[in-house]
Amino acid sequence: MGSLLILLAFIGVLFALVLWGVGIYNGLITARNAYRNAFAQIDVQLQRRFDLIPNLVETAKGYLQHERQTLEAVISARSAAQAGLAAAKAAPGDPAAMGRLAQSQGALDGALGRLLAVSEAYPDLKASQTMLQLTEELASTENKVAFARQAYNDAVMAYNNRREVFPSSLVANNFRFRPAALLDIPADRAEVRDAPRVRF
């Protein structure tokens, strides 16, 4: 009888530990899915931005015949940024993929900033209704990208905190929950930290 009580107590403790582990595991899965979903919102906004850029370049092309190098730099940076986004979509939160995405987006921000700065010198382009509409949409998209990036970074922080605190870290390490990387603009690119300013 006494050994049966000990066995039942042991089974009860083991069952409680299993439930505890499952609860932690499910919490980690939920947190990981949250940052992946937040990244999907970044993807949506960046795709919208990529779709606007060819129209912006095409509109500017007629006015900026002597600025072909600037226009080509924007198209090249857009292609690199699309490749960076594709790599990040394949592995959201992966440090290498997020670093590549941040670097390529920074380069695109710089190229767009130069295009908009050059366009300031062309009054006819500044007055173009199409250009005004496109730059307005681009500015709106830049704001949405910034909000989506903040939501993603918040979700990554919550996930990383959950996987690092004890006792969750025991489950996280045993089931290979890797740390997720923030999406951050490189610190050495201070001019990229702000969205391109549009003044028409």
Side-chain angles (χ1 to χ4, degrees), residues 69-133:
Q69 192 174 13
T70 302
L71 296 172
E72 288 171 358
V74 171
I75 295 301
S76 174
R78 176 184 179 259
S79 295
Q82 285 179 308
L85 178 59
K89 273 172 64 172
D94 177 69
M98 299 314 288
R100 181 176 174 194
L101 176 61
Q103 185 178 24
S104 65
Q105 290 301 317
L108 179 56
D109 286 349
L112 280 172
R114 285 188 294 281
L115 172 62
L116 295 174
V118 165
S119 69
E120 288 282 319
Y122 294 83
D124 290 343
L125 178 58
K126 283 173 57 175
S128 163
Q129 200 59 31
T130 305
M131 190 67 171
L132 286 170
Q133 184 180 10

